[in-house]
Amino acid sequence: LSPGEKMGCFTFIKVMMILFNLAIFLGGGTLLGVGIWVTVDVQSFLDIFGALSSSVLQVVNVSYFLIVIGAILLVIGFLGCCSAQKESQCLLIMFFSVVLIIFIAEIAAAVVALVYTSLAETLLTAVVTPVLKEKYGADNSLTHIWNVTMTEVHCCGLNNYTDFTDSPWHKEHNTYPEFCSVRGSLPLACPHVCGCLLQGCFAQILKEIRTHAGVVGGVAAGIAALEIAAMVVAMYLYCHLDQK
């Protein structure tokens, strides 16, 4: 390529990187805003997006998840835009490093999720179960989120009905949530408690994820491809500036 063609290619890639990272920055800001909204007014969020309540994010605190993801996207988008606009090698290498770290972390998380599903269940149990025992029936927001989740996913607790034992609800009503009971021929986890369901929400959600494994894998592959492309572009701009 002639010097003019090389410069034109460099300019095109630079502009595309700015636009791409601007979209990431705006998306991160949106997620951060939604996360803060959920934290401040979870009831309004659930009233508007109730149909999405069967999402896996209901098992964890969706607001903190959105805030963390939004903040990460903001940092990536900001670094990407500034590094391309200012043609700064320092910012480009920072951008490359951040994306690389996230890429490696995602691969590690995927391996852990595939190989150590039982470990993930153990960690979730250690975090979520104490919260249910302490706040279900006392914290209106948490109680409502779990009620909607159990209704939509058709499950009971994270692992089973015992997650609600000694909770404020259990102590007040001397029984388990109505969502843990059903009339029918489903297998029972606790025959001495009328109609108590066997399956917990973790098992149900894991089943749904495995059912849609192709879609989940496709989305993950698409994200990985974008991250690799971002790193290649950043390194191309870095090397080009180094030559200049």
Side-chain angles (χ1 to χ4, degrees):
L1 294 176
S2 65
E5 290 175 330
K6 289 183 179 179
M7 184 56 65
C9 182
F10 174 84
T11 303
F12 173 77
I13 293 178
K14 171 184 170 180
V15 171
M16 291 304 297
M17 184 171 177
I18 292 173
L19 293 176
F20 177 73
N21 283 282
L22 180 61
I24 291 178
F25 182 83
L26 294 175
T30 301
L31 288 179
L32 184 62
V34 171
I36 294 173
W37 172 29
V38 175
T39 303
V40 174
D41 191 6
V42 66
Q43 187 61 52
S44 296
F45 179 83
L46 290 173
D47 289 342
I48 295 174
F49 297 102
L52 302 177
S53 58
S54 61
S55 166
V56 65
L57 296 179
Q58 291 292 347
V59 174
V60 296
N61 195 319
V62 64
S63 59
Y64 294 140
F65 179 84
L66 291 176
I67 289 173
V68 170
I69 297 299
I72 292 174
L73 291 178
L74 276 175
V75 171
I76 292 175
F78 178 78
L79 279 176
C81 285
C82 288
S83 61
Q85 176 63 34
K86 296 180 179 297
E87 298 186 5
S88 168
Q89 285 186 308
C90 180
L91 290 177
L92 280 169
I93 205 65
M94 284 179 62
F95 172 80
F96 178 88
S97 301
V98 170
V99 176
L100 179 62
I101 291 171
I102 293 173
F103 181 73
I104 294 173
E106 288 171 349
I107 293 177
V111 171
V112 169
L114 290 173
V115 179
Y116 300 105
T117 303
S118 59
L119 175 61
E121 182 176 7
T122 302
L123 291 174
L124 274 176
T125 300
V127 173
V128 176
T129 302
V131 174
L132 287 176
K133 290 184 181 295
E134 179 184 349
K135 296 186 177 180
Y136 185 85
D139 186 316
N140 292 331
S141 296
L142 180 137
T143 302
H144 182 66
I145 288 174
W146 271 93
N147 287 347
V148 173
T149 300
M150 291 189 290
T151 301
E152 295 292 334
V153 184
H154 305 294
C155 57
C156 174
L158 182 67
N159 294 302
N160 52 49
Y161 76 101
T162 59
D163 292 339
F164 299 106
T165 301
D166 294 329
S167 65
W169 173 277
H170 185 253
K171 290 177 180 177
E172 180 180 352
H173 298 88
N174 197 30
T175 186
Y176 296 94
E178 59 180 316
F179 311 97
C180 291
S181 300
V182 68
R183 293 182 177 87
S185 58
L186 292 173
L188 302 181
C190 42
H192 58 286
V193 180
C194 181
C196 189
L197 291 178
L198 173 65
Q199 61 268 34
C201 293
F202 182 85
Q204 290 293 94
I205 290 172
L206 194 61
K207 181 180 178 181
E208 289 186 16
I209 291 175
R210 285 171 176 167
T211 302
H212 301 92
V215 176
V216 174
V219 172
I223 293 174
L226 287 175
E227 289 171 340
I228 292 173
M231 288 188 287
V232 170
V233 169
M235 191 52 61
Y236 169 83
L237 295 177
Y238 178 88
C239 293
H240 186 88
L241 290 172
D242 194 43
Q243 292 174 1
K244 291 172 66 176

